[in-house]
Amino acid sequence: MSMTPSNMLPAQQVEDNSLGHFLYGLMSAFPLFFVPVLLSLWLNLIQKNVNPESVLGSHLRWQRMSIIGLCPFFIAGYWISPLWLSLPMYLVGVSWFSYRIFKGWISLNDGLAV
């Protein structure tokens, strides 16, 4: 019978969320002509080895839906001809996207799925 010290606990598997933090960082740089957002979407889409039921998997899905959800606001803003109508569409889209980045990043930092 082997004796183990009481302060030694079994090793727990810890998920590495650094990819999620990196992608949220890229998404938050959207004022730079949306190039970081497109890079973030591409990096997100090529992740095949992430378990979709994990915390990171839920954040990758959240990020994809955030980027795809931003597109209708920008398309509508582009097609609406008076500037006083198209500008609010852009502002609502950017505000909504910023909220999604903030909520997702805070949840990932706390280790919660979204």
Side-chain angles (χ1 to χ4, degrees), residues 23-41 44 59-74 88-106:
L23 294 178
Y24 277 121
L26 283 175
M27 288 171 65
S28 68
F30 67 87
L32 300 173
F33 306 109
F34 286 94
V35 171
V37 175
L38 296 176
L39 178 63
S40 172
L41 180 62
N44 189 317
H59 283 275
L60 292 177
R61 186 173 43 257
W62 176 266
Q63 291 169 354
R64 281 191 303 269
M65 292 299 109
S66 298
I67 294 169
I68 293 169
L70 182 62
C71 292
F73 288 107
F74 276 30
M89 288 301 284
Y90 290 130
L91 291 175
V92 168
V94 166
S95 299
W96 176 81
F97 188 66
S98 298
Y99 163 76
R100 300 271 296 190
I101 293 170
F102 181 75
K103 181 179 181 349
W105 210 345
I106 294 296

Side-chain angles (χ1 to χ4, degrees), residues 15 50-62 64:
E15 186 177 18
V50 176
N51 179 8
E53 302 302 319
S54 67
V55 171
L56 182 60
S58 77
H59 283 275
L60 292 177
R61 186 173 43 257
W62 176 266
R64 281 191 303 269

Side-chain angles (χ1 to χ4, degrees), residues 70-84:
L70 182 62
C71 292
F73 288 107
F74 276 30
I75 291 169
Y78 178 77
W79 286 106
I80 295 174
S81 61
L83 184 63
W84 64 272

